[in-house]
């Protein structure tokens, strides 16, 4: 727990300070996800939008006899499925704005240190990367927030593997990341991982990953297929778990769950906070289809910083509890 205590000291090192910034940003995002999901279960009924008939009795009679309706009717609004789609899109945008607002409020005290906040609601991914790169090159602290997956789908369906939120923090050329899912909030720097507990505090995660939970032998997590090549994966795997947003799936099912290995979709660096979280937790991380040594946490952080400056996209990556597991899956998917 010495590392966690150092985060709250009066004079933290640059490394522990960058981790503390990531924690400070992850807390309000996680709390808002929980609050919003609980509230969304309370009140919207699609049945309310299915009544297409006029309300007044005389108008209903006129409709039956094909006579023109003379009453002034309000402008037509979306009904049925269209109304539901519009509702969840509106709810998703509102949640996105609240996440940004709570993050900005929580990080307000860091503004005096010149911390730059970037989010994917107000900027595109490339605009965020360009501004983050300028901050890194000028040695100015920067925090980015990117939503991976779909806020609307998560609100409407409640599926945990449809959403994750990635925070990247760079200060003094040191990187810390946070991945927030409906189930977990995890923060990592180059050598340590922390998890938010049920009371909203942070707990140091030990690196002995094999002793946490028994592995679910034979099970793997893979992205939902986008083409015929990926569809062919299913015929080679005994019991695959599909994830629309693999950052959430790997955080919950692999790093915090029992699945021994997963495939992380090709993704933008701003959506890839899970990579450092997994590497810092002693999971093996390496590209799919390339026989190479797994990336350690130092190398993963260096590659992510390089991606901010150069090519922002990572290839599909294997993430597993041990090297044998990812090597075996690589051969199956070759």
């Amino acid at each position: 727990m010495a590392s966690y205590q150092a985060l709250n000291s009066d004079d933290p090192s640059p490394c522990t300070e960058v981790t503390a910034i990531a924690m400070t940003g992850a807390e309000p995002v996680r709390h808002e996800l929980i609050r919003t999901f609980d509230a969304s279960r309370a009140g919207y009924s699609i049945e309310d939008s299915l009544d297409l008939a006029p309300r007044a009795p005389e108008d209903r009679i006129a409709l039956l006899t094909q006579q023109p309706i003379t009453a002034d009717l309000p402008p037509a609004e979306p009904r049925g499925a269209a109304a539901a789609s519009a509702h969840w899109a509106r709810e998703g945008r509102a949640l996105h704005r609240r996440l940004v607002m709570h993050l900005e409020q929580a990080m307000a005290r860091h503004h005096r240190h010149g911390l730059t906040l970037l989010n994917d609601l107000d900027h595109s991914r490339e605009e965020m990367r360009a501004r983050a790169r300028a901050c890194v090159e000028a040695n100015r602290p920067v925090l980015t927030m990117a939503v991976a997956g779909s806020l609307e789908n998560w609100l409407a369906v409640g599926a945990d593997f449809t959403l994750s939120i990635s925070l990247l923090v760079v200060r003094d050329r040191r990187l810390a990341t946070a991945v927030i899912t409906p189930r977990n909030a995890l923060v990592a720097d180059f050598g340590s991982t922390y998890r938010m507990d049920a009371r909203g505090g942070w707990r140091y995660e030990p690196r002995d990953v094999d002793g946490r939970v028994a592995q679910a032998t034979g099970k793997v997590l893979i992205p939902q297929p986008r083409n015929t090549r990926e569809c062919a994966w299913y015929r080679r795997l005994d019991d695959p778990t599909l994830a629309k947003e693999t950052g959430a799936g790997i955080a919950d099912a692999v790093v915090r769950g029992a699945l021994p290995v997963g495939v992380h979709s090709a993704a933008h660096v701003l959506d890839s906070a899970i990579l450092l979280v997994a590497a810092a937790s002693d999971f093996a991380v390496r590209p799919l289809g390339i026989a190479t040594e797994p990336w350690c946490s130092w190398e993963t952080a260096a590659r992510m910083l390089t991606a901010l400056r150069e090519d922002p996209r990572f290839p599909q990556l294997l993430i597993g509890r041990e090297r044998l597991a990812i090597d075996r899956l690589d051969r199956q998917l070759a």
Side-chain angles (χ1 to χ4, degrees):
M1 295 299 293
S3 297
Y4 177 77
Q5 293 169 355
L7 294 174
N8 300 299
S9 64
D10 294 331
D11 186 22
S13 67
C15 175
T16 56
E17 173 65 11
V18 76
T19 309
I21 293 173
M23 289 179 172
T24 303
E27 289 169 1
V29 173
R30 167 73 169 150
H31 293 154
E32 181 59 26
L33 286 181
I34 295 173
R35 191 199 67 80
T36 299
F37 184 75
D38 290 343
S40 72
R41 301 300 93 186
Y44 182 72
S45 173
I46 296 178
E47 298 299 324
D48 295 340
S49 67
L50 298 181
D51 185 4
L52 305 182
R55 297 287 184 178
E58 59 272 19
D59 289 338
R60 296 190 180 202
I61 294 173
L63 184 64
L64 291 173
T65 59
Q66 300 298 312
Q67 298 177 11
I69 298 174
T70 57
D72 293 331
L73 298 179
E77 296 183 356
R79 303 289 183 178
S85 178
H87 168 80
W88 292 118
R90 190 166 55 249
E91 290 293 307
R93 289 192 298 270
L95 173 56
H96 204 165
R97 174 53 64 188
R98 290 198 303 275
L99 292 174
V100 171
M101 179 188 70
H102 289 306
L103 176 64
E104 291 175 344
Q105 291 175 349
M107 303 306 298
R109 70 174 180 270
H110 292 281
H111 286 183
R112 65 179 181 270
H113 303 303
L115 179 67
T116 299
L117 296 177
L118 303 172
N119 66 80
D120 58 347
L121 181 64
D122 300 321
H123 310 282
S124 69
R125 292 290 194 279
E126 283 309 305
E127 289 173 339
M128 291 173 64
R129 189 179 74 90
R131 294 187 60 182
R133 178 178 59 193
C135 290
V136 172
E137 292 176 348
N139 201 23
R140 298 195 305 268
V142 59
L143 181 152
T144 68
M145 186 193 87
V147 175
S150 171
L151 290 167
E152 301 93 80
N153 286 350
W154 174 67
L155 286 169
V157 181
D160 293 330
F161 288 177
T162 60
L163 173 69
S164 75
I165 297 174
S166 288
L167 303 183
L168 271 62
V169 182
V170 183
R171 176 178 171 173
D172 294 330
R173 293 184 171 82
R174 305 251 187 180
L175 175 69
T177 69
V179 57
I180 303 105
T181 79
R183 292 186 183 185
N184 287 295
L186 299 164
V187 168
D189 54 24
F190 57 86
S192 302
T193 309
Y194 303 87
R195 178 173 63 90
M196 182 181 287
D197 59 28
R199 295 178 295 179
W202 291 97
R203 297 179 59 184
Y204 174 74
E205 287 282 89
R207 296 170 67 89
D208 55 334
V209 295
D210 292 331
R212 294 181 194 170
V213 62
Q215 296 188 32
T217 305
K219 298 180 182 294
V220 299
L221 183 141
I222 61 175
Q224 290 186 349
R226 298 169 298 177
N227 50 51
T228 55
R229 174 181 175 273
E230 293 183 359
C231 286
W233 288 356
Y234 298 98
R235 296 192 294 270
R236 306 175 188 177
L237 301 172
D238 295 331
D239 192 9
T241 297
L242 306 183
K244 188 174 182 64
E245 207 303 287
T246 53
I250 290 172
D252 293 343
V254 180
V255 177
R256 289 295 308 156
L259 266 68
V261 64
V263 179
H264 185 43
S265 301
H268 197 284
V269 60
L270 298 178
D271 299 319
S272 301
I274 186 60
L275 301 185
L276 185 56
V277 168
S281 301
D282 269 359
F283 281 74
V285 179
R286 73 165 175 83
L288 174 67
I290 301 176
T292 184
E293 291 293 321
W295 301 346
C296 66
S297 57
W298 283 95
E299 182 177 3
T300 302
R303 287 178 179 272
M304 295 183 73
L305 288 172
T306 299
L308 280 175
R309 297 190 298 267
E310 300 173 7
D311 184 1
R313 298 200 67 84
F314 284 101
Q316 287 187 319
L317 297 168
L318 295 164
I319 299 178
R321 290 169 171 263
E322 55 187 26
R323 181 173 178 176
L324 288 177
I326 65 174
D327 288 346
R328 186 182 308 114
L329 180 59
D330 201 7
R331 288 192 298 269
Q332 289 178 292
L333 300 181

